Amino acid sequence: MGETRKIALTVNGKRYAEEVEVRMHLGDFLRQQLGLTGTHLGCEHGVCGACTVLVDGVSARSCLMLAVQADGRELLTVEGIAPNEEELHPLQEAFRDNHGLQCGFCTPGMLTTLIEFLGDNPDPTEREVREAISGNLCRCTGYQGIVAAALDAAQRLKALKQA
Amino acid sequence: MAELFGSRIARLEDPALLRGVARYVDDISLPGMLHAAFVRSPFGHARIGSVDASAALALEGVHAVYAMDDIRPHLVNERLVVGLPSPSYRQNRDRPALADGEVVYVGEPVAVVVADSRYLAEDAAALVDVEYDPLPAVADCRAALEDGAPPVHLDAKHNLLAEFDMGFGDVAAAFARAPHVFRESIWIHRGGSHSIECRGGVAAYEAAEDLITYRVSTQMPHSALRTICEMLGRDENQLRVVAPEIGGGFGPKLVVYPEDVTLCIATMKLGRPVKWIEDRREHFVATTQERDQYWEVEIAVDGEAKILGIRGAMIHDHGAYTARGVNLAYNSGESLGLAYNVPAYALNIRLALTNKMPVTPVRGAGHPQATFTMERLMDRVGRELGIDRAEVRRRNLIPGADMPYEKPLKTRGGMGVLLDSGDYPACQQSVMDRLGWADFAARQDAARAEGRYIGIGLGNYVKGTGRGPFEAVTVRIGPSGRIHVYTGGVAIGQGTRTMLATLVADQLGGDMANITVTAGDTATISLGIGTSNSRLAVQAGSTAHAAAIKVREKALKVAAHMLEASEDDLEIVGSEIRVKGVTDMKVTLSQVANAVAGTPGYALPGGIEPGMEAEEHLVLDVMPYASGTAGAVVEVDAETGAVRILEYALGHDSGRIINPLIVDGQVLGGTAHGIGNALYEWMGYDADANPVTTNLAEYLLVGAAEMPNVQILHHESPSPLNPIGVKGVGECGVVPAPSAIISAIEDALTPFGVRLAGTPVTPAQIVAAIRAAPAGG
């Protein structure tokens, strides 16, 4: 094992204090050291977006960030999106109802990217959704179901807010 | 009870995937697990001298480095023998387990390094010193067949892998009497699969049971089991192959790879589980692709644009080894002009070895190439004879009234080619109507007046689906009353579990939540073929339907005995079997299952056979043919060459639809792949066969911003060839997309007289074509 350093961070509301190898990237750290395998690695060169997580609410490619850089940060990964064991988040519900996923491998990155996007832009146009996920590659869906899911989720979230 | 078949049902698979708790191969971690990295050839062709692993082995945490000589003692057979026979082979080029004295493509695995972590394994792999003596490499499949071309393999006399002829009718006579003959030279490039999950496997040997469990991202676990057992000389009960959650397949995951065999040997030698996960850069040089075909074709037509004959020759880039067979080139030859009345046809096909990654199917498997070639010919005929391109097609399409229509061709397995159902002209018309084909010229003129170049194009296709002979399915009601479905088919994202649960639930109570589907585990079902060729709905679907009916009949028989009622008066609702209209006269599925589980010394109820289950292997040899028409409207920027797809419609007929949600998703995903093939995807090699596109910034996949909103027009012509009337759908969208888009680009650029004869077409190529055109800028 190479040089290590101690870091402390919060992931999905849970606090962790860990000793990490300094060269380990954040994606590997989440998956291998914390056992949070929901974050997927599709290219490890920053193009496909599958590994996207939110760091202090802002989307980041966990393959392009070192674990030590997450020291002191608050992270959200796909495992932290649903409110509980029984229910799904409205965005997840919308993905299911609109067939926004097939093999599911790009899905965690799509969800985290859209959580950030819908927070910034609660009433987006189709074009804006397409631009928002243009850094996330999907090989299965042709994106149409994902776009429909994002637009549907925006409506669901708006309705929840008004309720 | 309402039938679930045909309903837009949200998928069973989704909740686990959306929560991030589904388990793909890289999510599997076993106690004591080690990690592998492969040492790969940096040369397109080289002799291998010594492999010096001493520096790598000196690193702390490195457990082993194995090259071919180290694993050879464990191999009964050193080559991965593929399953597709053909009399057309001119040489046998099965892949070795690891490179043996020679490397023949960049990326060929030479050695494996096993270490405590992947990071360490990669460090060590860089320290393995392989002595290479570089040799001339051949990259272009046409050049490979020329006299004096460097041999792809040291021991080869030439680079012709296989050659065969296809066709029917009197072609010479057809061309001799034809008033018009047009010739086209066409290049079609197809890239890699690029499932977002790369390949990978975890091999775990348990000495106490003398059993290897190999969890692998594969589309065909049973075939992997057979190949690995054959190479390792193990009995089939000493290996279990399991496909966990699969992050997309698209073809290349259907074959077994050198890494699979090597991992199984490594776990036995080390006595610990060994994991290898391919990274994306590796995927470009370690996973099969489809790549290039070059066609020289002529079409003979009469004065009314009716086809009299087609003839020509095609060269297919096979790569350095045979990873699957002659199937891609065969599919291309078989499907050229399938949608049309072609009285005479002759095609010579040559498969050329090159010093490049071997090829296997990538979604579409040879069909997009043939479709593109045929549709280019149709456009050419229209232009030359001054007849509308759609009208040329309409005059030649096989009309609905002629179905079923037998083509005088054979599939690679010798089955007849029977176009089983469909109305191709009606499908084409639906797309023309949707896109406003009749009024498009006026729209185009108006756009040109504004300095904008818009164009419209069509592509018709017919795609053989559901390749046989069978897919195994077991349906079982367990003692708990839960229904278990097992299949040799593999779920790779296409909704297989939902599809099978739907068909089974329709026979057994209608509660899909009470059904568990296990797909792709050789320990749960002895036979299986797997996922390829848009086959699972046809093969596994039909078989699940048949098996569920058998279990239903048995359950009703037992229940009738238990309730002392007539079977005809019973119905299955949820987890209960009850007498219609008498709510308290009922037994549960659990009780029925337990009644036939057997009690020592007591007779089974009604003299019925033990077990509430049925395993079926419905044999469906003749393939159902899906069909359709793609239509595209594009705008081309004549200065930059940028292409924007303004509208895209796909008329599509895959027979009866089990779940519209899933079928739409399959069609849309295929279309995106086809648009990528038309405009973006290019797996490049330089003249020395070095790959030049080895990351996703150099090799472009289509993104959300480039995709149009695709309009799907469903046509449902039930197939008479299977009990549920379905045809396959997985590959359909990809097949016609390049045809429609390239046709539309050419149409948009009519004022310049640009002619396009290949895919992909990049902006730079479009600008160059405009400059070179007769009326170019």
Side-chain angles (χ1 to χ4, degrees):
Chain A
M1 199 158 167
E3 190 192 337
T4 62
R5 200 170 292 177
K6 287 198 167 87
I7 62 168
L9 73 170
T10 305
V11 184
N12 303 329
K14 190 173 166 189
R15 292 199 50 77
Y16 294 89
E18 292 284 322
E19 183 159 346
V20 297
E21 213 175 329
V22 291
R23 68 168 168 171
M24 182 177 261
H25 70 61
L26 179 61
D28 277 347
F29 169 73
L30 290 168
R31 294 177 48 78
Q32 294 170 15
Q33 205 154 330
L34 302 190
L36 295 171
T37 56
T39 297
H40 298 151
L41 300 169
C43 74
E44 290 179 283
H45 48 250
V47 181
C48 81
C51 69
T52 306
V53 299
L54 299 189
V55 179
D56 293 334
V58 179
S59 56
R61 309 261 149 139
S62 64
C63 75
L64 293 187
M65 189 170 159
L66 293 169
V68 290
Q69 293 176 288
D71 186 27
R73 308 298 191 97
E74 195 163 319
L75 272 62
L76 179 76
T77 71
V78 65
E79 290 95 339
I81 293 175
N84 54 52
E85 297 278 306
E86 286 76 41
E87 292 169 284
L88 294 174
H89 184 279
L91 179 63
Q92 293 169 315
E93 292 280 6
F95 261 68
R96 188 172 189 217
D97 292 345
N98 292 281
H99 198 25
L101 69 161
Q102 289 183 25
C103 82
F105 203 81
C106 74
T107 309
M110 289 286 180
L111 293 173
T112 47
T113 300
L114 284 167
I115 291 229
E116 179 192 31
F117 171 68
L118 293 175
D120 294 343
N121 185 351
D123 201 9
T125 64
E126 180 192 324
R127 194 70 229 162
E128 288 168 342
V129 170
R130 287 186 180 276
E131 295 294 341
I133 58 168
S134 63
N136 293 69
L137 294 173
C138 169
R139 194 56 153 169
C140 295
T141 64
Y143 304 99
Q144 204 154 310
I146 298 173
V147 173
L151 293 170
D152 183 4
Q155 294 310 309
R156 293 179 195 221
L157 290 164
K158 212 158 58 173
L160 275 176
K161 233 181 199 166
Q162 282 162 2
Chain B
M1 186 172 55
E3 202 183 42
L4 298 169
F5 192 116
S7 309
R8 219 173 171 83
I9 297 168
R11 302 190 318 165
L12 299 176
E13 292 87 341
D14 291 354
L17 299 171
L18 287 162
R19 287 176 180 276
V21 298
R23 299 204 7 120
Y24 300 83
V25 65
D26 194 20
D27 303 339
I28 293 162
S29 186
L30 301 174
M33 189 171 78
L34 300 172
H35 299 264
F38 283 84
V39 177
R40 298 183 181 280
S41 167
F43 294 103
H45 196 189
R47 259 191 208 92
I48 304 177
S50 64
V51 178
D52 181 357
S54 53
L57 288 166
L59 274 191
E60 196 188 330
V62 174
H63 292 257
V65 177
Y66 302 134
M68 186 58 177
D69 284 343
D70 304 301
I71 66 169
R72 204 186 307 273
H74 303 271
L75 291 166
V76 172
N77 178 359
E78 296 176 11
R79 300 263 160 174
L80 287 82
V81 178
V82 297
L84 300 181
S86 167
S88 67
Y89 289 113
R90 300 298 169 83
Q91 46 188 310
N92 181 344
R93 290 297 167 192
D94 292 328
R95 293 162 294 164
L98 285 172
D100 192 5
E102 179 185 16
V103 284
V104 290
Y105 64 92
V106 171
E108 181 169 4
V110 175
V112 65
V113 177
V114 185
D116 283 337
S117 77
R118 173 61 178 253
Y119 285 67
L120 274 175
E122 289 190 23
D123 290 346
L127 297 175
V128 175
D129 189 10
V130 182
E131 190 185 351
Y132 293 106
D133 173 16
L135 296 162
V138 59
D140 183 294
C141 60
R142 295 163 301 176
L145 296 180
E146 285 168 8
D147 286 341
V152 168
H153 295 264
L154 275 171
D155 66 349
K157 293 186 180 64
H158 57 77
N159 296 319
L160 182 65
L161 183 279
E163 178 170 10
F164 52 96
D165 293 288
M166 296 184 88
F168 49 79
D170 189 342
V171 179
F175 275 80
R177 72 180 172 91
H180 305 286
V181 172
F182 306 114
R183 184 185 180 89
E184 289 279 341
S185 299
I186 287 166
W187 164 66
I188 307 106
H189 178 87
R190 299 209 65 217
S193 64
H194 293 288
S195 50
I196 305 299
E197 178 199 43
C198 293
R199 290 191 298 117
V202 180
Y205 178 66
E206 288 168 72
E209 297 180 62
D210 192 18
L211 174 75
I212 300 170
T213 301
Y214 187 43
R215 296 174 175 88
V216 53
S217 189
T218 180
Q219 298 172 219
M220 292 196 165
H222 286 83
S223 148
L225 180 139
R226 282 200 301 273
T227 305
I228 297 170
C229 280
E230 182 186 279
M231 293 178 73
L232 270 52
R234 294 179 72 77
D235 291 347
E236 51 278 4
N237 61 359
Q238 293 174 316
L239 175 65
R240 172 188 176 196
V241 179
V242 188
E245 200 73 46
I246 307 288
F250 311 114
K253 288 181 183 174
L254 69 85
V255 292
V256 63
Y257 285 85
E259 292 91 348
D260 298 321
V261 181
T262 306
L263 291 174
C264 288
I265 293 172
T267 185
M268 281 198 298
K269 281 172 77 82
L270 294 164
R272 288 171 69 173
V274 181
K275 176 196 265 190
W276 167 71
I277 302 297
E278 181 187 63
D279 68 27
R280 180 63 54 183
R281 194 168 180 284
E282 259 185 315
H283 186 80
F284 281 96
V285 298
T287 288
T288 57
Q289 308 154 0
E290 214 177 284
R291 288 195 313 270
D292 300 302
Q293 284 186 357
Y294 293 88
W295 294 68
E296 293 291 335
V297 276
E298 287 182 305
I299 187 166
V301 292
D302 69 14
E304 302 301 310
K306 294 275 254 182
I307 300 166
L308 301 173
I310 298 172
R311 68 182 176 194
M314 185 262 277
I315 296 174
H316 174 88
D317 182 346
H318 186 74
Y321 291 116
T322 298
R324 184 62 174 164
V326 302
N327 56 316
L328 295 172
Y330 194 98
N331 285 352
S332 299
E334 182 191 325
S335 61
L336 185 79
L338 214 50
Y340 301 101
N341 268 307
V342 180
Y345 172 46
L347 186 72
N348 171 260
I349 296 176
R350 287 184 296 162
L351 285 76
L353 289 161
T354 55
N355 288 110
K356 297 194 283 191
M357 185 71 214
V359 301
T360 68
V362 169
R363 196 173 202 167
H367 292 81
Q369 296 92 316
T371 298
F372 183 77
T373 302
M374 186 65 197
E375 295 300 293
R376 290 280 70 202
L377 289 171
M378 291 284 90
D379 281 357
R380 174 79 186 275
V381 169
R383 191 169 70 236
E384 297 280 357
L385 300 189
I387 301 172
D388 178 62
R389 291 168 290 159
E391 176 60 14
V392 170
R393 289 173 167 84
R394 190 195 63 76
R395 289 180 190 177
N396 289 290
L397 280 171
I398 294 163
D402 289 1
M403 294 291 168
Y405 183 99
E406 195 171 349
K407 283 270 180 177
L409 286 166
K410 295 283 182 211
T411 66
R412 68 180 186 228
M415 311 297 172
V417 174
L418 181 76
L419 306 177
D420 48 322
S421 65
D423 188 337
Y424 305 165
C427 188
Q428 176 179 296
Q429 189 62 46
S430 72
V431 171
M432 292 166 64
D433 293 345
R434 176 61 67 94
L435 295 179
W437 183 275
D439 305 322
F440 192 77
R443 195 176 147 191
Q444 194 173 41
D445 287 344
R448 279 180 197 157
E450 297 170 9
R452 295 169 55 224
Y453 297 97
I454 65 169
I456 193 167
L458 285 178
N460 287 314
Y461 78 96
V462 170
K463 168 83 177 70
T465 68
R467 201 183 288 277
F470 71 88
E471 189 53 81
V473 178
T474 299
V475 174
R476 175 185 303 147
I477 303 175
S480 65
R482 193 158 181 84
I483 300 165
H484 298 273
V485 180
Y486 301 93
T487 179
V490 178
I492 60 172
Q494 77 283 47
T496 295
R497 297 189 194 99
T498 302
M499 181 267 290
L500 294 177
T502 300
L503 294 163
V504 171
D506 265 339
Q507 303 303 326
L508 290 171
D511 180 10
M512 286 172 64
N514 188 37
I515 298 175
T516 303
V517 180
T518 304
D521 180 348
T522 61
T524 64
I525 192 156
S526 64
L527 287 172
I529 290 179
T531 297
S532 68
N533 211 141
S534 308
R535 67 186 302 276
L536 281 196
V538 174
Q539 294 287 342
S542 298
T543 303
H545 172 78
I549 287 174
K550 277 208 170 161
V551 174
R552 175 189 171 84
E553 285 167 355
K554 198 167 180 183
L556 291 177
K557 206 170 194 174
V558 174
H561 183 85
M562 292 168 78
L563 291 166
E564 295 177 1
S566 159
E567 285 168 50
D568 296 338
D569 295 334
L570 299 180
E571 61 181 355
I572 310 178
V573 180
S575 295
E576 294 174 351
I577 303 175
R578 61 196 190 193
V579 178
K580 289 175 197 163
V582 189
T583 48
D584 58 345
M585 280 191 69
K586 63 190 181 190
V587 290
T588 63
L589 292 181
S590 169
Q591 287 171 310
V592 165
N594 278 298
V596 288
T599 306
Y602 295 84
L604 289 163
I608 199 153
E609 282 190 13
M612 192 51 72
E613 68 177 70
E615 179 172 334
E616 286 289 307
H617 317 96
L618 221 54
V619 175
L620 301 169
D621 279 329
V622 182
M623 298 171 76
Y625 282 80
S627 58
T629 305
V633 177
V634 305
E635 177 164 353
V636 185
D637 184 324
E639 277 182 35
T640 65
V643 175
R644 196 154 61 93
I645 302 169
L646 303 177
E647 292 168 65
Y648 193 99
L650 185 73
H652 173 256
D653 191 341
S654 59
R656 289 186 73 206
I657 292 175
I658 301 170
N659 185 335
L661 198 69
I662 292 176
V663 168
D664 284 359
Q666 290 299 303
V667 168
L668 291 168
T671 298
H673 198 144
I675 289 172
N677 286 156
L679 298 173
Y680 304 108
E681 295 189 38
W682 179 64
M683 181 64 216
Y685 284 83
D686 70 12
D688 294 323
N690 296 301
V692 295
T693 53
T694 55
N695 63 57
L696 290 174
E698 294 163 344
Y699 183 100
L700 302 178
L701 299 183
V702 69
E706 294 84 58
M707 274 299 291
N709 219 326
V710 176
Q711 307 172 64
I712 305 173
L713 311 169
H714 285 300
H715 298 256
E716 282 193 67
S717 309
S719 173
L721 299 174
N722 60 72
I724 51 177
V726 301
K727 306 180 180 192
V729 64
E731 295 166 287
C732 290
V734 75
V735 177
S739 304
I741 289 166
I742 302 301
S743 181
I745 294 171
E746 198 177 86
D747 183 47
L749 298 176
T750 302
F752 301 101
V754 163
R755 301 285 167 256
L756 300 172
T759 64
V761 174
T762 62
Q765 287 167 342
I766 288 174
V767 170
I770 289 172
R771 289 195 182 138

